Amino acid sequence: DAGVIQSPRHEVTEMGQEVTLRCKPISGHNSLFWYRQTMMRGLELLIYFNNNVPIDDSGMPEDRFSAKMPNASFSTLKIQPSEPRDSAVYFCASREGFANTGELFFGEGSRLTVL
Amino acid sequence: AQKVTQAQTEISVVEKEDVTLDCVYETRDTTYYLFWYKQPPSGELVFLIRRNSFDEQNEISGRYSWNFQKSTSSFNFTITASQVVDSAVYFCALNGNTGKLIFGQGTTLQVKP
């Protein structure tokens, strides 16, 4: 079975440009999570969805960040405009069910570099 | 508020040594789940174990073992007879009633041949 699929794997862009990261969760999983990983701040939860509905976006750093989940098989994380401090690895993860019992399955991550 | 603390930033051992990675957590929830994930140099996050707050039995899986002590809010991870392939960053994580999985800062383990 396919795992969580993220694209692009690597993105290099210039400050001010719009960046869109994409995620396809594991089929049948009801919850989807976006994390950001940096050396300074570690793994931070940005936002998570249950049944395509955003449940908690308190980790989204600023209005420049937005996330959508138009259907059960696709989510995007958009940064507009991007800044150098947004450089990080962005992970998408999915989980079966809504409860806190299950483990998260992570994608391979999207490494973003903003120049 | 929920918090996970991994006080050891980096650990270096020689192959075949045993090593314990510490994890201390904070939560007010009575029901919660604790996890360990491994992040090898390739970058992906690999699930290792899940433990619920009502099950304090220790668990062993091959060379890996976990010690959950509710009294000290700790969920420590021991690798016996470490191998070079164990070199990775290891994350402890907590999921309480909010449904959010909160990670510790991670411990970088280097196993030297």
Side-chain angles (χ1 to χ4, degrees), chain A residues 44-90:
Chain A
E44 303 174 273
L45 176 63
L46 301 178
I47 185 171
Y48 82 96
F49 297 82
N50 280 350
N51 265 359
N52 316 335
V53 176
I55 302 301
D56 189 328
D57 65 354
S58 59
M60 295 286 263
E62 308 170 23
D63 291 346
R64 297 185 297 106
F65 285 69
S66 62
K68 293 181 180 179
M69 192 165 185
N71 56 63
S73 58
F74 184 65
S75 177
T76 59
L77 178 67
K78 187 174 293 186
I79 308 171
Q80 166 65 19
S82 58
E83 296 182 3
R85 59 190 166 129
D86 301 331
S87 297
V89 180
Y90 291 82

Side-chain angles (χ1 to χ4, degrees), chain A residues 9 33 35 37 39-43 45 48 56 58 91 95 98-108, chain B residues 31-33 35 37 39 42-47 50 89 91 95-105:
Chain A
R9 292 294 312 281
F33 301 75
Y35 283 85
Q37 185 176 30
M39 288 292 293
M40 291 299 296
R41 301 174 69 89
L43 274 162
L45 176 63
Y48 82 96
D56 189 328
S58 59
F91 286 100
R95 178 176 68 195
F98 312 123
N100 58 355
T101 58
E103 68 267 30
L104 271 61
F105 293 83
F106 284 82
E108 293 182 310
Chain B
T31 302
Y32 52 89
Y33 286 77
F35 300 78
Y37 279 82
Q39 187 174 41
S42 50
E44 72 273 23
L45 282 153
V46 179
F47 165 77
R50 172 184 65 235
V89 182
F91 291 95
N95 195 343
N97 291 336
T98 63
K100 302 194 299 187
L101 188 63
I102 305 300
F103 284 86
Q105 285 293 94

Side-chain angles (χ1 to χ4, degrees), chain B residues 36-73:
Chain B
W36 277 93
Y37 279 82
K38 174 181 180 180
Q39 187 174 41
S42 50
E44 72 273 23
L45 282 153
V46 179
F47 165 77
L48 295 178
I49 190 172
R50 172 184 65 235
R51 173 67 69 211
N52 76 55
S53 53
F54 297 106
D55 183 1
E56 290 194 65
Q57 278 192 320
N58 291 335
E59 180 150 343
I60 299 174
S61 176
R63 295 183 298 107
Y64 294 172
S65 63
W66 291 269
N67 183 288
F68 174 32
Q69 297 213 349
K70 218 167 172 178
S71 60
T72 56
S73 296

Side-chain angles (χ1 to χ4, degrees), chain B residues 8-54:
Chain B
Q8 304 150 307
T9 305
E10 293 184 21
I11 300 176
S12 182
V13 299
V14 176
E15 208 170 20
K16 297 185 183 177
E17 284 185 20
D18 298 347
V19 58
T20 296
L21 310 181
D22 297 333
C23 172
V24 174
Y25 63 92
E26 296 175 29
T27 181
R28 293 178 182 172
D29 296 333
T30 53
T31 302
Y32 52 89
Y33 286 77
L34 296 162
F35 300 78
W36 277 93
Y37 279 82
K38 174 181 180 180
Q39 187 174 41
S42 50
E44 72 273 23
L45 282 153
V46 179
F47 165 77
L48 295 178
I49 190 172
R50 172 184 65 235
R51 173 67 69 211
N52 76 55
S53 53
F54 297 106

